Amino acid sequence: MTLKTLGARLSESGPVFVACTVGILFGLWVYFGDYSSIEATTINLRFKLRNQLQPWQQKPDNIIFIDINDAALIQNKGGKYGTPRRWPWPRYNYAEIHRLLKEAGVKPAAIVYDIVFDLADDASAEPPKGYTLVEEEAPDEGISNDQLFVASIEAASDVPVFFAALFTPQSKEPFTQEEYEKAYADAADLNWVPPPPKFRSFGMVYEPARHDSIYHAKLVNHPWDTEWWSEVSGDISEEEMMQMEFMGLVTSLVDSASGAGMTTNDPEEDGIIRAAPLFIEFDGYLYPSLAFQVVLNQYGASVRDVRFEDKVIVIPTDKGEEIEVPVDDWRRVILNFRFGWEDVENGFFVLNYWKLIKGLDWLIHEEELRKSGGVP
């Protein structure tokens, strides 16, 4: 066969030849390269196409995100709702949210804080300058911000409140007791003790035969608990305990919570989070994610009711039904990105923190006018 004849035959079978060549090269790329990056790219593309070709017919109206962002720090700067540029905010502010919701007659199905309140706020509970929300008398003298926060939660005990916990780092291999002790000593020169019983009650005993494969962690930051913190900090003398009482530290955010769940998510190699673990193990206990903890509460189930099956996690509801949540090999749920955070028209309802306060303040003002016979 001459080169001229070969060239003619290749020309005749050009499309087939090109297709075969591309297929071979793609196969070599997948075999010797990183298949996960190819899959991740196609997931991005599929989500974008799905959202464009099949947008939601009705945006979700039963979830409201209260956004604490830079705008919240400068909203109406210098006015009644002005705020100094400071973080973290005093927990007086969060107590006000609960108080205002109660006074406005708003009863949400749940209030969920995606904030790790792992340190005490022992400052005196009074409206700090620049944080005054509504005209009111200052709380009783000697009450701390944490105590006021707990009291505001307990005053509306029919509304479940959930707090966030942070488990780090994620690992596919369990950690030993020695690694726990070293991690705490290295982090803040603390003595290792298990988390408080109330916090452990939000999880369940880890059983490898039932729960593997699962992610593990060796550090945890959970809602403030005085007893636990005094233990990890070392022995507390009677004089120091009296001083803690005087400072308003003897309180416990975790005791007021209906649940606490982890918000630990590790991005993939390209920096994008496409899946989130529903459970993570720490010190022999398995803890659900914050979102999953709320879902369980809404279905009238506890974490100990959950069944782990192949590729699904089963939730038995209080109505006798079973909800199956599809997961991957590591009990992660693929995040269903239906829209961007800034998609106001089709997305979740996102409200700036200070706009919420101002709106509720106005509702209360209208109610006061109505009762007094005035015109709003």
Side-chain angles (χ1 to χ4, degrees), residues 203-260:
M204 60 180 168
V205 175
Y206 168 61
E207 300 177 25
R210 288 181 53 206
H211 302 138
D212 279 346
S213 299
I214 207 76
Y215 282 99
H216 307 268
K218 65 178 177 180
L219 279 170
V220 60
N221 298 78
H222 58 71
W224 166 257
D225 180 87
T226 304
E227 182 180 356
W228 182 84
W229 187 253
S230 65
E231 288 177 350
V232 299
S233 301
D235 294 332
I236 299 295
S237 67
E238 184 177 350
E239 181 181 352
E240 289 172 321
M241 181 58 70
M242 291 177 63
Q243 180 68 15
M244 291 174 69
E245 292 177 356
F246 176 77
M247 295 169 63
L249 279 172
V250 182
T251 185
S252 178
L253 296 184
V254 73
D255 280 345
S256 65
S258 299

Side-chain angles (χ1 to χ4, degrees), residues 113-241:
Y113 284 98
D114 190 11
I115 302 171
V116 182
F117 295 122
D118 60 334
L119 297 176
D121 185 352
D122 60 329
S124 178
E126 58 184 22
K129 184 178 180 181
Y131 284 93
T132 304
L133 308 183
V134 294
E135 297 297 333
E136 62 170 335
E137 296 180 1
D140 295 336
E141 187 176 353
I143 300 298
S144 71
N145 280 327
D146 273 340
Q147 289 172 319
L148 185 67
F149 190 21
V150 170
S152 68
I153 294 172
E154 293 176 345
S157 57
D158 54 344
V159 176
V161 176
F162 297 87
F163 290 127
L166 185 64
F167 291 82
T168 55
Q170 282 190 13
S171 169
K172 291 185 176 181
E173 298 297 328
F175 294 97
T176 64
Q177 191 67 38
E178 291 75 17
E179 288 174 313
Y180 292 138
E181 295 175 3
K182 186 176 186 304
Y184 276 79
D186 292 345
D189 194 23
L190 301 175
N191 299 321
W192 158 256
V193 294
K198 174 68 173 181
F199 182 76
R200 291 202 300 271
S201 72
F202 299 141
M204 60 180 168
V205 175
Y206 168 61
E207 300 177 25
R210 288 181 53 206
H211 302 138
D212 279 346
S213 299
I214 207 76
Y215 282 99
H216 307 268
K218 65 178 177 180
L219 279 170
V220 60
N221 298 78
H222 58 71
W224 166 257
D225 180 87
T226 304
E227 182 180 356
W228 182 84
W229 187 253
S230 65
E231 288 177 350
V232 299
S233 301
D235 294 332
I236 299 295
S237 67
E238 184 177 350
E239 181 181 352
E240 289 172 321
M241 181 58 70

